[in-house]
Amino acid sequence: MGNELRTVFSLSGGESFLVSLALALGLASLSSSKMKVESLFIDEGFGALDPDTLNVAVDALERLHNQGRKVGVISHVQEMTERIPTQIKVIRLANGKSKVEVVGG
């Protein structure tokens, strides 16, 4: 749709996710000396992205991490698990129980 103006209601799932991520990153960058935003947690949305856009999003998160910010991501997307070295995995057990494993790091 090129440079055409559109309402937010016409955004695809991937575009909506990128807009939300951009807003979160923008708000985090506005932190002041009195209030620091050092952590960012993202719950899903990565599955709606095509491979190139996913790469752009993960690159942005890696830059935040390299700047000393904590970045937490909840995702089932395989490409994400390949690029994130430290992972917390929740494993379903019987009777509604689960266990937590920290992998890597």
Side-chain angles (χ1 to χ4, degrees):
M1 297 178 109
N3 292 323
E4 194 173 314
L5 290 178
R6 299 166 42 198
T7 71
V8 295
F9 302 110
S10 70
L11 297 177
S12 69
E15 289 170 327
S16 295
F17 175 78
L18 286 178
V19 168
S20 297
L21 179 59
L23 287 171
L25 296 176
L27 287 173
S29 71
L30 291 175
S31 62
S32 67
S33 59
K34 292 181 183 178
M35 184 189 78
K36 284 237 182 245
V37 178
E38 295 178 347
S39 300
L40 177 66
F41 294 93
I42 302 170
D43 182 5
E44 275 304 336
F46 294 98
L49 303 178
D50 63 73
D52 290 335
T53 308
L54 176 63
N55 192 47
V56 168
V58 175
D59 285 348
L61 296 176
E62 285 177 339
R63 282 193 299 278
L64 282 176
H65 176 71
N66 292 336
Q67 293 170 4
R69 296 219 170 115
K70 295 173 190 78
V71 179
V73 175
I74 299 171
S75 184
H76 67 277
V77 176
Q78 183 62 35
E79 292 83 1
M80 296 288 294
T81 61
E82 293 169 359
R83 290 189 57 182
I84 298 174
T86 304
Q87 301 174 18
I88 300 172
K89 295 192 177 199
V90 179
I91 300 155
R92 184 184 309 183
L93 302 174
N95 300 324
K97 295 183 180 183
S98 59
K99 73 175 184 174
V100 175
E101 286 183 359
V102 177
V103 180

